[in-house]
């Protein structure tokens, strides 16, 4: 958007430009947000703190959204693409699931571009223009568009990789994200209307999935994480984060994002070492509908938590410190174990479409079959949250989730007989004279 007041981008009363000297030359390479202050009669500015023009434009948008109060005329013309962009800037980009949210919004944006090219989109495209016909066209288009992985070639250029079909459930997630963006805009009073869009529930678009891993299959996963296979053969260190993830999943029943977010750092308030409890929800994180409960810490998890200085799921980097005359190991957080999981899945014959959450489902099934208390199982899975007051006291009861703790220990006992070596923390097993550093 060209700016009438100068600069390279403008939204409302704010525009983006450099700070310039008397001769008009920039005095800094950082971008500034500018506006006219009617009280003082002068232009004012605020640094974006970046030289990247794209990030600077985002910073201006965030500033505009924080201080601007929409007029009636702006509410009438507030478009669907604007709602999606503002939702991402203010909310989606700050969520743990930001990567997934971005992908869902991007898919919907791509379809809107297709619709515009075909002349089926009004300009501006308003919430009032959304209806079931639009959603049905989106579903048909999205299901026909495969998911294409990207990878780098030998020259370091991005090229297309493997293709796989997009599931109906994934398509509905984009519709749900669109509805969330419109609801966000309505709450912020940027639009006066949100169409009554209906998405299809997962039960309607996904066949019932009954595949589960047995204890023997989980043991095979642990063995893979220790010994590897194929491209991972002989590179056990590369699979250490995967083994850490498996241990976290087996012992907590947590969702994948919660396991990757497990840390022993005191400021996060997760590991209650003396009480043998672990809060899957960090102290600074607000609970969402997908509740992260507090779970008992069995001996296996305790040993792995004791062997790290920060993140449970991490990789290790060795270096020699000449002053200390010791080999030091830095533990570096890992954001994903997807590559390791895919390799293990291919090796062990796990059906396509099953991700790491299969471990959570499998452990829940195994424990239910071993007759744990089903209400406790719901609590441990985060499906039956405590009230705020009750949660403060219930977790410190010695019998808190007692049948779950005993059930997990029983499963671990079976796994130890099959693949005991894979369950030992690497640092305590092989590195007696090693100092652990925080990355």
């Amino acid at each position: 958007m060209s700016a009438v007041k100068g600069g390279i981008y403008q939204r409302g009363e704010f525009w983006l430009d450099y700070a310039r000297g008397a001769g008009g030359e920039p005095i800094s390479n950082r971008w500034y947000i500018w506006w006219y202050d009617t009280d003082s009669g002068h232009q004012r500015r605020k640094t974006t703190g970046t030289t990247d023009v794209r990030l600077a434009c985002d910073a201006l948008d965030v500033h505009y959204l924080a201080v601007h109060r929409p007029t009636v005329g702006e509410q009438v013309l507030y478009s669907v693409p604007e709602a999606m962009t503002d939702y991402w800037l203010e909310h989606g980009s700050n969520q743990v699931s930001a990567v997934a949210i971005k992908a869902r919004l991007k898919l919907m944006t791509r379809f809107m571009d297709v619709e515009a090219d075909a002349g089926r989109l009004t300009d501006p495209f308003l919430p009032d223009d959304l209806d079931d016909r639009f959603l049905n066209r989106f579903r048909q288009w999205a299901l026909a568009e495969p998911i294409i992985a990207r990878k780098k070639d030998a020259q370091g250029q991005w090229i297309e990789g493997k293709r796989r079909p997009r599931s109906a459930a994934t398509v509905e997630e984009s519709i749900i994200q669109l509805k969330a963006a419109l609801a966000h805009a309505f709450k912020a009073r940027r639009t006066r209307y949100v169409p009554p869009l209906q998405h299809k529930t997962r039960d309607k678009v996904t066949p019932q999935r009954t595949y589960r891993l047995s204890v023997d299959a989980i043991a095979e996963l642990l063995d893979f994480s220790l010994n590897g296979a194929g491209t991972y053969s002989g590179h056990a260190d590369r699979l250490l984060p995967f083994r850490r993830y498996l241990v976290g999943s087996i012992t907590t029943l947590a969702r994948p994002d919660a396991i990757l977010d497990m840390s022993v750092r005191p400021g996060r308030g997760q590991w209650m070492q003396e009480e043998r409890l672990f809060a899957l929800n960090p102290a600074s994180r607000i609970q969402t509908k997908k509740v992260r409960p507090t779970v008992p810490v069995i001996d296996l998890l305790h040993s792995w938590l004791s062997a790290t200085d920060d993140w449970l799921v991490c990789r290790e980097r060795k270096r020699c410190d000449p002053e200390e005359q010791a080999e030091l190991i830095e533990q570096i957080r890992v954001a994903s174990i997807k590559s390791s999981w895919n390799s293990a899945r291919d090796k062990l014959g796990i059906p396509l479409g099953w991700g790491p959450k299969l471990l959570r489902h499998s452990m829940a099934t195994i424990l239910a079959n071993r007759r744990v208390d089903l209400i406790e199982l719901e609590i441990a899975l985060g499906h039956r949250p405590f009230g705020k007051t009750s949660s403060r006291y219930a977790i410190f009861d010695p019998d808190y989730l007692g049948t779950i703790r005993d059930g997990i220990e029983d499963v671990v006992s079976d796994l130890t007989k099959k693949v005991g070596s894979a369950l030992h923390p690497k640092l305590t097993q092989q590195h007696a004279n090693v100092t652990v550093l925080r990355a």
Side-chain angles (χ1 to χ4, degrees):
M1 180 187 301
S2 73
V4 228
K5 300 183 176 74
I8 61 160
Y9 174 69
Q10 179 184 335
R11 187 167 184 187
E13 61 271 38
F14 303 98
W15 69 94
L16 197 67
D17 200 355
Y18 288 122
R20 302 179 184 275
E25 294 298 319
I27 59 176
S28 168
N29 63 348
R30 294 188 177 185
W31 292 100
Y32 283 79
I33 300 169
W34 291 83
W35 68 95
Y36 182 78
D37 187 350
T38 53
D39 293 335
S40 65
H42 296 288
Q43 290 182 356
R44 294 184 61 189
R45 71 188 186 200
K46 172 186 175 182
T47 181
T48 64
T50 180
T51 60
D52 187 313
V53 67
R54 184 181 61 179
L55 296 178
C57 289
D58 287 348
L60 186 147
D61 283 336
V62 170
H63 181 76
Y64 167 84
L65 294 170
V67 302
H68 183 75
R69 294 297 175 264
T71 65
V72 174
E74 289 171 338
Q75 290 174 334
V76 171
L77 294 176
Y78 191 70
S79 69
V80 175
E82 286 178 311
M84 292 166 61
T85 299
D86 294 343
Y87 169 79
W88 166 254
L89 289 171
E90 286 188 306
H91 180 77
S93 60
N94 302 316
Q95 302 306 301
V96 175
S97 55
V99 173
I101 292 173
K102 187 175 184 178
R104 295 164 191 160
L105 294 174
K106 185 176 179 180
L107 182 65
M108 184 63 71
T109 300
R110 283 174 52 203
F111 175 66
M112 289 182 183
D113 291 340
V114 171
E115 289 281 280
D117 292 341
R120 289 190 293 265
L121 223 60
T122 58
D123 187 18
F125 185 54
L126 304 175
D128 197 36
D129 298 319
L130 288 167
D131 55 22
D132 289 337
R133 292 175 300 172
F134 174 86
L135 295 185
N136 288 333
R137 291 198 303 271
F138 169 70
R139 291 185 178 105
Q140 186 177 5
W141 171 84
L143 287 172
E145 284 283 303
I147 297 175
I148 305 174
R150 298 178 67 213
K151 63 179 182 179
K152 287 186 176 181
D153 60 15
Q155 288 71 43
Q157 301 297 318
W158 286 104
I159 60 172
E160 291 187 0
K162 293 182 178 179
R163 295 181 173 225
R164 59 185 175 89
R166 180 175 280 108
S167 71
T170 300
V171 174
E172 295 304 315
E173 291 291 345
S174 284
I175 295 175
I176 293 171
Q177 213 68 68
L178 172 64
K179 292 173 61 177
L182 294 172
H184 180 80
F186 183 77
K187 289 179 182 178
R189 300 182 181 179
R190 297 185 187 123
T191 182
R192 290 191 167 188
Y193 176 72
V194 176
L197 303 176
Q198 294 294 325
H199 69 273
K200 297 178 181 178
T201 63
R202 184 175 289 272
D203 290 341
K204 289 183 179 179
V205 297
T206 305
Q208 187 174 8
R209 308 178 81 188
T210 57
Y211 181 81
R212 294 293 184 268
L213 298 173
S214 64
V215 173
D216 285 343
I218 294 175
E220 289 180 351
L221 274 175
L222 286 165
D223 181 71
F224 175 88
S225 74
L226 182 65
N227 300 309
T231 56
Y232 281 102
S233 181
H235 298 278
D237 289 348
R238 292 172 58 191
L239 286 166
L240 178 59
F242 184 48
R243 188 154 73 258
R244 289 175 173 272
Y245 177 90
L246 294 176
V247 169
S249 182
I250 293 165
T251 57
T252 68
L253 316 182
R255 298 179 179 89
D257 58 338
I259 297 168
L260 294 171
D261 206 26
M262 291 176 66
S263 171
V264 301
R265 201 186 314 160
R268 291 173 61 89
Q270 290 188 274
W271 190 21
M272 293 168 264
Q273 193 168 359
E274 297 300 322
E275 294 84 1
R276 286 296 189 102
L277 296 170
F278 195 93
L280 292 170
N281 198 59
S284 60
R285 180 182 180 273
I286 298 174
Q287 283 279 20
T288 66
K289 292 180 180 178
K290 293 186 175 182
V291 175
R292 294 184 181 183
T294 297
V295 295
V297 174
I298 69 167
D299 289 344
L300 174 63
L301 180 58
H302 180 82
S303 64
W304 281 86
L305 294 174
S306 300
T308 185
D309 198 40
D310 199 340
W311 304 102
L312 171 65
V313 183
C314 61
R315 64 184 176 88
E316 298 175 1
R317 180 171 59 196
K318 298 177 183 178
R319 65 182 179 86
C320 182
D321 188 332
E323 293 184 3
E324 296 289 338
Q325 294 186 348
E327 187 179 66
L328 303 181
I329 292 182
E330 294 177 319
Q331 295 181 328
I332 304 167
R333 186 182 188 182
V334 169
S336 172
I337 49 89
K338 185 176 180 180
S339 177
S340 302
W341 171 265
N342 289 342
S343 297
R345 186 196 62 206
D346 293 343
K347 169 65 178 177
L348 304 180
I350 296 172
L352 285 172
W354 288 99
K357 191 186 275 191
L358 175 60
L359 277 163
R360 169 179 162 90
H361 296 161
S362 299
M363 281 296 298
T365 301
I366 292 169
L367 293 177
N369 290 337
R370 296 192 179 197
R371 303 295 187 268
V372 300
D373 185 276
L374 295 183
I375 292 179
E376 288 192 359
L377 184 58
E378 289 183 0
I379 295 171
L381 292 170
H383 294 165
R384 184 189 283 253
F386 280 119
K388 185 176 180 181
T389 303
S390 301
S391 65
R392 294 177 181 174
Y393 307 103
I395 60 175
F396 296 108
D397 187 317
D399 293 328
Y400 172 70
L401 299 186
T403 70
I404 301 299
R405 181 186 61 244
D406 294 344
I408 293 174
E409 286 180 337
D410 191 41
V411 173
V412 168
S413 176
D414 291 345
L415 291 171
T416 302
K417 297 172 185 175
K418 300 175 185 297
V419 283
S421 56
L423 294 173
H424 290 286
K426 181 179 178 182
L427 292 178
T428 57
Q429 181 187 25
Q430 298 181 5
H431 298 78
N433 187 29
V434 164
T435 304
V436 181
L437 297 182
R438 180 175 300 166

